[in-house]
Amino acid sequence: MELSGTAEAGKLLARARRPVVFTGAGMSAESGVPTFRDALTGLWEQFDAQALATPEAFRADPALVWGWYEWRRTAVRRAEPNPGHRAVAAIEARVPGTVVVTQNVDDLHERAGSAAPVHLHGSLFAPRCSACAHPAPVPDGVAEPGEGRPLTPPRCGRCDAPVRPGVVWFGEALPEQAFEAAVEAAYRCDVLLTVGTSGLVYPAAEIPQVAARLGATVIQINPEETPLDAVCELNLHGPAAHVLPALVRAAWGDAAPA
Ligand code: BV8
Ligand code: ZN
C-alpha cells in the first residue's frame, strides 16, 4: 500500500539535483537500534536521557555514562542497516549532489553504503580523551545489552585521563565543520527529506527550517506529527524502512533496496 503523497514526492525527488537527506533516530528504529529515549532500560532505566547525555553526568559518574554508551555501541554492532538506509544510499548513487546529514551516532548509514554522512552529534565509534581530545581506540569488548553494568572507561594513551564517547552532549557545541557543512547543504539544496526526527533538538533542528526558508521543497517521513510538519510541503506519515524504498521506486522505478 503506497502512502498518499509518495508518487508526488517521487516526482520531486527525481527532479532534484542537490537533495539533502536529514535523519534522526527514527531512521535506525527498524534496525532495532533503540532511539535516544528508548535506550534507557536495565541499569539506566531510572535516568533521564537528557541528564545522562551531558558532561556533568560523565564527570559525576564516568563508569555509568561510559557503560551506557558501550551498551548502545554493542546494540549498534549487532544491528543491520535497514531498507531505509539502503534507499538513502540508492539516492546518493542516483544523484551525485546528494548530502546526507544525520543526528545519529550509529554507523548504519555508512554500513548501507552512504559515502560520507555528516554527523552533527558525533559517533559511537570515535571515542576520545576527555582531557586532551586524543583519539582513543574503539574497545572491541561488548557490554552485554540489558543488564548492563558500570564500565570503567579506558585511560588516554597520552595523558591518562578517562576516555569519553565521541558524541555531542547537551550543552556542548556541535563540531564546527560538520555544522557548517550541514548549513551549507541546507542553503544549496533544492529538496530536503527529513526522516525520523522529532525536530526538537537544536541547533540540528534548524537544518530543515533553513532549507524551507530558502525555498527548497521539504518532505517529511515520520509516522508521527512533529514541529517540522509546518515547514514541509509533503508529510509521508509512515516508517522510514517502508516509505524511503517506495520513494526511490516512485522516483526512478528502481527495484528499490529490499
Ligand atoms: C548546544 C548525541 C550550545 C548524544 C544528541 C531550550 C530550548 C531550545 C534549545 C535548548 C533549550 N535548552 C537547551 C537547549 C539546547 C539543547 C536542546 O536542543 N535541547 C532540547 C532537548 C530542547 N541543545 C544542545 O544542548 C546542543 N548544544 O546547544 O550547545 C553551545 C554553543 C556554543 C558553545 C557551547 C555550547 C547539543 C545537542 C546534541 C545532544 N546530543 N545526541 C547521544 O546520542 O547520546 S541529541 C539526541 O536526542 C539524538 O541525537 C537525537 O537527535 C535527539 C532526539 O533523540 P530521539 O528522540 O531518540 O530521536 P528523535 O528526536 O530523532 O525522535 C525519534 C523520531 O523518530 C520521532 O519523531 C519518531 O516519531 C520517529 N520514528 C520512530 N520510528 C520511526 C520514526 N521515523 C521514521 N521511521 C520509523 N520507523
Ligand atoms: Zn588525553
Side-chain angles (χ1 to χ4, degrees):
M1 170 280 270
E2 210 102 283
L3 266 182
S4 77
T6 307
E8 193 187 339
K11 282 198 198 89
L12 291 163
L13 182 60
R15 283 207 302 270
R17 290 290 159 266
R18 296 179 309 283
V20 165
V21 185
F22 177 71
T23 67
M27 183 77 228
S28 302
E30 284 145 294
S31 295
V33 174
T35 66
F36 184 64
R37 285 161 189 72
D38 301 346
L40 290 164
T41 58
L43 183 70
W44 299 282
E45 201 163 4
Q46 72 272 34
F47 294 101
D48 161 33
Q50 252 148 252
L52 214 47
T54 61
E56 295 74 21
F58 182 73
R59 253 195 304 281
D61 191 339
L64 179 77
V65 174
W66 176 260
W68 182 44
Y69 283 92
E70 280 300 280
W71 172 67
R72 288 170 62 191
R73 193 167 58 78
T74 303
V76 168
R77 269 212 159 126
R78 293 192 167 141
E80 288 299 325
N82 64 55
H85 292 104
R86 285 198 286 281
V88 171
I91 295 170
E92 289 175 85
R94 274 265 170 196
V95 189
T98 304
V99 177
V100 177
V101 177
T102 187
Q103 302 169 85
N104 298 338
V105 292
D106 63 48
D107 62 348
L108 296 178
H109 278 304
E110 288 87 341
R111 285 164 54 194
S114 286
V118 177
H119 277 273
L120 290 179
H121 294 156
S123 165
L124 289 169
F125 298 89
R128 64 172 190 270
C129 174
S130 58
C132 73
H134 186 58
V138 177
D140 49 17
V142 288
E144 276 320 303
E147 71 277 12
R149 61 188 182 292
L151 274 180
T152 309
R155 313 296 293 193
C156 169
R158 197 162 66 177
C159 77
D160 201 39
V163 167
R164 60 161 284 174
V167 302
V168 179
W169 279 327
F170 286 96
E172 292 188 320
L174 273 56
E176 214 166 303
Q177 222 178 350
F179 190 58
E180 274 168 19
V183 171
E184 162 78 18
Y187 266 86
R188 290 169 34 83
C189 74
D190 41 15
V191 170
L192 182 139
L193 304 181
T194 172
V195 187
T197 184
S198 56
L200 295 173
V201 174
Y202 281 81
E206 288 281 8
I207 297 301
Q209 299 175 55
V210 164
R213 257 201 310 277
L214 286 157
T217 303
V218 181
I219 299 167
Q220 178 165 234
I221 296 168
N222 191 325
E224 315 282 329
E225 288 210 358
T226 75
L228 294 171
D229 278 54
V231 299
C232 293
E233 190 144 327
L234 282 168
N235 282 296
L236 306 179
H237 285 303
H242 172 82
V243 175
L244 276 166
L247 200 48
V248 167
R249 262 194 308 276
W252 296 293
D254 268 357

